[in-house]
Amino acid sequence: MTVPGRRSSTFIRLLRSGFTDPSAAARLLEADALAAVRTDPVLLDALGATADPDLALLGLVRLAEAQPDGELPGLLDTLVSAKPLRDRLLGVLGASEALGDHLARHPRDWLGLVTYEAADLHPGLPEFERGLADAHDPVALRVSYRRCLISIAARDVCATIDVAQTAAELADLATATLRAALRIATAAAPEDAALCRLGVIAMGKCGGNELNYVSDVDVIFVGDAAPGADEGKALQAATRLASHLMRICSETTVEGTIWPVDANLRPEGRNGPLVRTLASHLAYYQRWAKTWEFQALLKARAVAGDAALGAEYIDAISPLVWQAAERENFVADVQKMRRRVVDNIPAAQVHRELKLGPGGLRDVEFAVQLLQLVHGRSDATLHSGSTLDALHALAAGGYVGRADAAQLHDAYRFLRAMEHRIQLYRLRRTHLVPEDENDLRRLGRSMGLRTEPVAELNKAWRRHASVVRRLHEKLFYRPLLDAVAQLTPGETRLSPRAAGQRLEALGYADPAAALRHLEALASGVTRKAAIQRTLLPVMLGWFADSADPDAGLLNFRKVSDALGKTPWYLRLLRDEGAAAENLARVLSAGRLAPDLLMRAPEAVALLGDPEGLQPRTNEALQQEVLAAVGRAENPEAAVAAARGVRRRELFRTTAADIIGSYGTEDNPAEEDHGALVDRVGGAVSDLTAATVAGALRAAVHSHYGDTLPTRFAVIGVGRFGGHELGYGSDADVLFVHEPREGVDEQEAAKAAQNVIAEMRRLLQLPTTDPPLLIDADLRPEGRSGPLVRTLSSYAAYYRRWSLTWESQALLRAEPVAGDAELGARFIELIDPLRYPAEGLGEDAAREIRRLKARMESERLPRGADPTLHTKLGRGGLSDVEWTVQLIQMRHAWAEPGLRTTRTREALAAAHAAGLIPTEEAQILDEAWVLATRVRNAVMLVRGRAGDTFPTEARELAAVGRYLGYAEGTVGEMLDDYRRITRRARAVVEELFYGG
């Protein structure tokens, strides 16, 4: 007798066994049908081991109560005495309410779980066909199908088979079911069967031998006339048979349905004929098929009907499938299809969507299929309809990293197991993870998570989805595939002959040397060589998109030789698609960027980081340079450290400029050329300022320790002060100092001169880096004047002796290094000079015009083409800048927007103030940007500065590619330059000389 208020021992035991409703479970155990076993401890333990003990017990009671007369003892005796049967039966009842319902309706079907032989443990297609052999109508077929399904579910929930084997058995059962349905349809219309041959081709998961418990079975029908039959009538008969087959499987009867048979993957989809001949299929695929249709055909498998016709179909279609990657925009089409699938998921369900959501099953499947289609053209080991088998083959072939493949494999198996268990419960087609706590608990326990099933399930699911999402982004979207997909089949694996032909076709000037580079990179059986063989066909195409493919390949070999032994280099290029393409662009665009990279090859890592090509801030650069200088043991080491930062950052800037100008497969070339120019000018100017600051710190420290006897500032002028430095520009500066309190002026002046001399010495030490020359010729009195002055000396000079051109030069003065407060006071001193009150007088304006005219006639190099000289030529940099500066000196006193050191900012401010009409402002801006880009391009291509277009053909073509001109259009480029600068000169004539 149970004491009132206390739980019975049965209740407590049920609770400990995992029952969520022990009271209801206790009542079920009292059912008469279980009288013989209700106290058997083995039964209770077995129920507690199921995914849902409450559901399993309910199903057992219903099954026991439904047993025909005299058969209940046999069920109960077997249940308590035969562990394999007990585990299988209760496992099914605890995992699937729908199969419990089936057993209650067909109480003798449990006997199918009793046998425990080899064929029963791992049945194949023949065993399933025997299981369905007695089904002669749709209802009987459903009953037989469920009976076979129970055996699969039993093996699945008892872990006799894994998730891949489960999916394969479900596909075999579907194949047997399609054959049985066709048999029934044929028996119903023998006259139709006599007229035609009909082949059933499984697609999708059924075709790939990886079916779910409940899924549409995708098929394509291929028909032909029987010998002597009319083709038109034969196709009509085949269509009737195919339609009947679909109804047999899909329609709902008293025994429910099996699964929908979906033929929408056929040519033309729902609008196309249900059955067509093989010739008609081929004609469609060769002419009209879309990319997604070839991706779907990857899993095509003949499963039912006329075996010979099915085999003919597969043999005819397969070559088309493996040529699909050569289609224009193949990879982009597949990627858009994938994104469209995700976009169509309701927002409320996207995070519960196991199949189509981010990090879901489709991510893995699409990525694997894309890799198969791209690389399977020349590697038959990838020709598999099974996702997991294909993933294994991709890893074995080096197309996917082994660690990545292992993680994807584990994640895919886990997600598929979740999908199986979710669908098994009610045998409904769903891919949504349930939200109900009890459903999640059952699901977690069915996955072997017993301590905290809900929490453990959610944690594992999110972890695996995160892995898939991360790896999918690497594998599915990497631009390498798009480039490989544009190659001919023989190019994906390089043979010597194919490589030679390829190089010649791409216009390599020295194919023999290129072949030697390829041999050095790709020969051997190492994993490194295997990855190179995968990369090289793509890289060759990218190099060929440049003006100098030979240089690109040679530079690639040099970088690979320098970094080949590092574990991350080839992995970066293979797995981060942007890195490989970015590297190819940089290595083949000229001399400057590759030279910088050769001296710091580890900077390749910047090319794979989406943020790696963004310019760093002036503050960050100054902080890094000054910290490196502070750690150095001597001034030479200090400036070497500063140069190291400069080298890396120059590479970052050149790489970003090249990639932005060339564009990539995913990101077209930057259309806003002005933004490109501004980024380069700002980045190089900030880097130069940081380097000068580092040299200044080293010079001071080597001679004076921590404190210089005089306060000292470096003022950037010209392009330096205007944040418009190019790759080959000198650093124009002024030096200003102010003796510290108590320091003699002569001592202070000597200290300032010593520091300048040491700065120059340090910056001019021999190096392979691009030179950084400090030019102080814009100082008062030019080269005749003192190199450095005190602030009061500057004030006295400007007050008494300053010339108009000196005031003009000060328009772009800005402190760049040294004492910030002294620099700010220098700017206060010069503002009245460069922005004179009431504006520049007419006499001074005439003086500026005379000086400009004299400079045009005297300073243009002898023999230079004035229409192509970017600095001093017609409509070039000087024309635009002097025009803008004249406007600044006339109007900046009244227009604050004009008080800027930057040419384009001042031009925009002049337009905003109504001082320059819109069209004229646009013409001047376009010409200034183009001339600046040409100067940058010349430095990038030749590795040395120049103010005019190169004369050597390859160099000129490389400048053209940088500017966006296709091969063979350099004449058009020069014509465009002349046209744009001619228009700018006309504006200059009006605004500068005519105003």
Side-chain angles (χ1 to χ4, degrees):
M1 179 177 177
T2 303
V3 177
R6 295 183 60 184
R7 300 290 192 186
S8 69
S9 59
T10 301
F11 182 96
I12 294 172
R13 186 174 181 191
L14 289 170
L15 195 61
R16 289 175 177 171
S17 294
F19 287 85
T20 58
D21 190 349
S23 298
R27 290 193 296 271
L28 287 172
L29 283 172
E30 293 298 320
D32 292 340
L34 297 187
V37 296
R38 69 166 62 103
T39 59
D40 193 307
V42 172
L43 175 62
L44 201 57
D45 289 342
L47 286 166
T50 64
D52 188 338
D54 303 82
L55 182 63
L57 178 56
L58 176 60
L60 178 60
V61 170
R62 294 178 65 205
L63 174 60
E65 292 177 341
Q67 288 302 301
D69 292 342
E71 296 190 17
L72 178 59
L75 167 65
L76 299 180
D77 288 346
T78 309
L79 190 64
V80 296
S81 62
K83 182 177 182 348
L85 177 281
R86 181 171 61 247
D87 291 343
R88 288 170 147 199
L89 177 58
L90 295 183
V92 169
L93 292 174
S96 178
E97 181 180 81
L99 291 181
D101 292 343
H102 175 87
L103 286 170
R105 290 196 308 274
H106 304 278
R108 302 191 81 253
D109 278 3
W110 70 272
L111 293 167
L113 301 178
V114 173
T115 54
Y116 202 71
E117 300 170 354
D120 178 59
L121 290 176
H122 299 289
L125 181 56
E127 285 76 22
F128 289 126
E129 286 194 281
R130 284 196 295 271
L132 303 180
D134 294 334
H136 299 294
D137 61 70
V139 174
L141 182 60
R142 280 153 176 71
V143 175
S144 297
Y145 174 84
R146 292 289 172 85
R147 188 182 304 123
C148 294
L149 192 65
I150 288 172
S151 70
I152 297 176
R155 287 185 292 276
D156 180 16
V157 298
C158 292
T160 306
I161 54 177
D162 64 20
V163 66
Q165 292 170 314
T166 301
E169 287 192 14
L170 289 167
D172 283 342
L173 177 56
T175 298
T177 305
L178 288 170
R179 293 180 180 182
L182 183 56
R183 169 170 48 80
I184 295 170
T186 298
E191 66 285 357
D192 282 343
L195 283 174
C196 66
R197 300 169 66 198
L198 177 64
V200 183
I201 311 299
M203 305 286 284
K205 283 188 163 51
C206 184
N209 280 299
E210 50 186 18
L211 198 60
N212 303 329
Y213 276 102
V214 185
S215 175
D216 289 357
V217 171
D218 296 309
V219 298
I220 285 177
F221 296 106
V222 57
D224 199 4
D230 175 75
E231 183 178 286
K233 292 181 178 179
L235 288 178
Q236 291 175 0
T239 300
R240 289 191 291 270
L241 288 175
S243 299
H244 193 188
L245 178 153
M246 295 174 68
R247 292 196 302 275
I248 289 170
C249 296
S250 305
E251 287 182 348
T252 302
T253 70
V254 292
E255 286 293 338
T257 185
I258 301 177
W259 19 247
V261 176
D262 189 340
N264 288 334
L265 292 178
R266 66 186 184 270
E268 300 181 79
R270 293 178 181 176
N271 297 322
L274 184 63
V275 182
R276 56 171 84 207
T277 63
L278 177 55
S280 177
H281 277 282
L282 287 175
Y284 173 84
Y285 286 124
Q286 289 167 346
R287 187 171 184 184
W288 303 111
K290 296 181 173 60
T291 297
W292 68 263
E293 293 176 278
F294 291 107
Q295 185 184 7
L297 286 168
L298 182 68
K299 294 182 179 293
R301 179 171 64 95
V303 293
D306 191 301
L309 181 58
E312 288 178 46
Y313 177 91
I314 297 300
D315 290 343
I317 291 298
S318 290
L320 299 180
V321 172
W322 300 112
Q323 293 165 13
E326 299 167 34
R327 293 167 57 87
E328 187 177 359
N329 298 324
F330 165 74
V331 175
D333 285 349
V334 177
Q335 292 175 347
K336 280 189 283 189
M337 201 165 71
R338 162 69 196 143
R339 286 192 290 267
R340 194 158 54 241
V341 168
V342 175
D343 292 343
N344 287 337
I345 302 173
Q349 297 181 357
V350 69
H351 296 298
R352 296 170 52 216
E353 177 57 68
L354 199 61
K355 178 181 179 181
L356 303 177
L361 292 162
R362 186 60 63 88
D363 278 353
V364 182
E365 292 160 359
F366 265 52
V368 169
Q369 290 165 22
L370 186 58
L371 285 162
Q372 281 182 276
L373 291 174
V374 170
H375 296 296
R377 291 171 292 162
S378 60
D379 190 343
T381 65
L382 304 182
H383 296 188
S384 171
S386 161
T387 301
L388 290 176
D389 288 348
L391 182 58
H392 176 76
L394 287 165
Y399 305 105
V400 175
R402 284 182 292 233
D404 290 349
Q407 290 186 70
L408 272 183
H409 177 272
D410 292 345
Y412 187 73
R413 288 172 64 92
F414 182 88
L415 296 173
R416 283 302 302 272
M418 278 186 70
E419 182 184 44
H420 281 179
R421 299 295 195 274
I422 292 169
Q423 293 183 351
L424 180 60
Y425 175 48
R426 287 200 172 102
L427 290 183
R428 292 180 181 172
R429 183 176 180 269
T430 179
H431 307 287
L432 292 178
V433 177
E435 296 178 293
D436 180 77
E437 187 81 6
N438 288 331
D439 290 336
L440 287 170
R441 180 175 181 273
R442 180 192 318 105
L443 179 57
R445 284 173 61 89
S446 75
M447 302 282 290
L449 308 172
R450 297 302 173 93
T451 306
E452 294 287 344
V454 176
E456 292 174 38
L457 174 69
N458 281 322
K459 182 178 179 181
W461 172 34
R462 299 302 179 193
R463 184 181 74 250
H464 285 298
S466 175
V467 166
V468 170
R469 188 159 55 247
R470 175 174 56 84
L471 294 179
H472 169 263
E473 289 168 357
K474 292 167 63 177
L475 299 177
F476 185 73
Y477 287 105
R478 57 179 181 171
L480 280 174
L481 299 182
D482 192 36
V484 175
Q486 294 170 8
L487 303 175
T488 61
E491 292 168 346
T492 48
R493 288 302 183 98
L494 297 174
S495 67
R497 181 182 177 189
Q501 292 172 340
R502 170 71 165 166
L503 292 168
E504 290 178 8
L506 291 173
Y508 280 76
D510 190 351
L515 279 173
R516 289 195 297 272
H517 299 325
L518 295 179
E519 183 178 2
L521 289 164
S523 61
V525 294
T526 63
R527 187 169 179 80
K528 180 175 76 171
I531 296 174
Q532 285 281 21
R533 285 194 292 271
T534 302
L535 287 169
L536 275 168
V538 190
M539 303 295 284
L540 287 174
W542 283 326
F543 293 147
D545 192 35
S546 73
D548 196 348
D550 298 82
L553 180 56
L554 173 61
N555 290 329
F556 181 60
R557 180 181 176 183
K558 289 179 179 178
V559 173
S560 295
D561 287 346
L563 293 175
K565 293 183 179 179
T566 59
W568 56 266
Y569 168 63
L570 289 176
R571 188 168 64 239
L572 173 78
L573 298 186
R574 182 193 64 201
D575 295 343
E576 303 293 349
E581 185 176 2
N582 291 345
L583 179 62
R585 299 299 185 204
V586 168
L587 293 180
S588 57
R591 295 180 183 176
L592 179 60
D595 286 350
L596 291 167
L597 183 58
M598 297 310 165
R599 291 191 288 275
E602 66 280 357
V604 166
L606 297 174
L607 301 176
D609 180 359
E611 302 300 320
L613 298 179
Q614 296 299 315
R616 299 178 66 202
T617 64
N618 186 29
E619 293 76 12
L621 291 170
Q622 296 257 2
Q623 184 177 8
E624 181 181 5
V625 168
L626 294 179
V629 167
R631 291 191 297 268
E633 296 181 355
N634 54 61
E636 290 75 16
V639 81
R643 280 174 168 170
V645 176
R646 179 171 181 256
R647 183 186 313 125
R648 184 197 67 219
E649 295 304 319
L650 270 177
F651 174 73
R652 188 197 305 270
T653 304
T654 58
D657 188 16
I658 290 166
I659 293 162
S661 297
Y662 270 69
T664 63
E665 306 290 348
D666 276 352
N667 299 300
E670 173 71 65
E671 293 185 1
D672 186 351
H673 295 159
L676 276 174
V677 164
D678 290 344
R679 281 199 294 271
V680 171
V684 176
S685 299
D686 287 345
L687 180 54
T688 300
T691 308
V692 169
L696 174 59
R697 175 71 61 86
V700 171
H701 189 72
S702 66
H703 287 72
Y704 298 98
D706 293 333
T707 305
L708 189 66
T710 186
R711 302 173 72 181
F712 186 89
V714 183
I715 310 298
V717 290
R719 296 193 175 282
F720 191 10
H723 298 261
E724 296 163 356
L725 283 180
Y727 299 118
S729 301
D730 294 346
D732 291 318
V733 297
L734 302 175
F735 298 112
V736 58
H737 79 105
E738 186 176 68
R740 295 187 185 277
E741 187 174 349
V743 177
D744 179 72
E745 283 200 15
Q746 289 186 340
E747 179 187 352
K750 184 177 180 181
Q753 291 167 356
N754 288 341
V755 165
I756 295 170
E758 179 66 359
M759 285 176 64
R760 284 183 152 177
R761 182 187 76 83
L762 291 174
L763 290 172
Q764 291 173 8
L765 288 173
T767 177
T768 55
D769 291 323
L772 175 54
L773 300 178
I774 295 179
D775 188 340
D777 288 352
L778 291 178
R779 65 187 182 271
E781 302 180 79
R783 295 180 181 178
S784 302
L787 196 59
V788 59
R789 293 174 181 262
T790 62
L791 186 63
S792 58
S793 175
Y794 273 107
Y797 175 84
Y798 288 139
R799 185 170 54 250
R800 187 172 183 183
W801 305 109
S802 177
L803 300 176
T804 302
W805 73 263
E806 291 175 309
S807 297
Q808 182 184 355
L810 292 173
L811 282 168
R812 294 201 282 185
E814 183 174 288
V816 294
D819 190 301
E821 192 271 338
L822 179 60
R825 285 196 286 131
F826 180 86
I827 297 302
E828 290 179 11
L829 168 68
I830 65 171
D831 272 352
L833 291 170
R834 55 184 180 174
Y835 311 133
E838 303 302 323
L840 192 69
E842 190 54 43
D843 289 344
R846 279 196 296 270
E847 176 63 24
I848 288 178
R849 293 189 188 104
R850 280 197 299 269
L851 185 61
K852 174 74 168 68
R854 192 176 75 207
M855 186 177 69
E856 289 177 11
S857 62
E858 295 178 0
R859 293 184 59 186
L860 189 70
R862 181 176 299 176
D865 184 345
T867 66
L868 294 177
H869 198 279
T870 59
K871 183 176 181 180
L872 301 175
R874 180 193 67 190
L877 296 171
S878 177
D879 271 0
V880 177
E881 289 166 2
W882 282 60
T883 300
V884 171
Q885 289 162 15
L886 180 59
I887 292 172
Q888 285 182 282
M889 296 184 75
R890 280 181 151 183
H891 301 283
W893 68 278
E895 294 291 341
L898 289 170
R899 298 170 199 169
T900 175
T901 63
R902 305 176 190 228
T903 301
R904 296 189 72 222
E905 276 190 13
L907 181 57
H911 170 251
L915 301 172
I916 303 180
T918 299
E919 184 179 1
E920 282 81 348
Q922 291 173 345
I923 289 171
L924 292 180
D925 186 68
E926 183 183 19
W928 189 89
V929 167
L930 177 58
T932 302
R933 292 195 77 215
V934 171
R935 292 183 94 203
N936 286 343
V938 170
M939 184 66 182
L940 285 169
V941 169
R942 302 174 65 194
R944 61 183 188 274
D947 289 321
T948 190
F949 288 87
T951 55
E952 199 276 323
R954 283 219 165 193
E955 291 179 347
L956 185 60
V959 170
R961 289 291 292 114
Y962 172 87
L963 295 176
Y965 290 87
E967 184 179 359
T969 60
V970 294
E972 180 183 340
M973 170 184 69
L974 298 178
D975 288 344
D976 285 347
Y977 182 86
R978 289 187 172 104
R979 174 179 53 80
I980 290 169
T981 53
R982 183 174 63 247
R983 294 174 66 204
R985 178 66 182 193
V987 174
V988 171
E989 293 284 355
E990 177 186 350
L991 297 179
F992 183 81
Y993 288 110

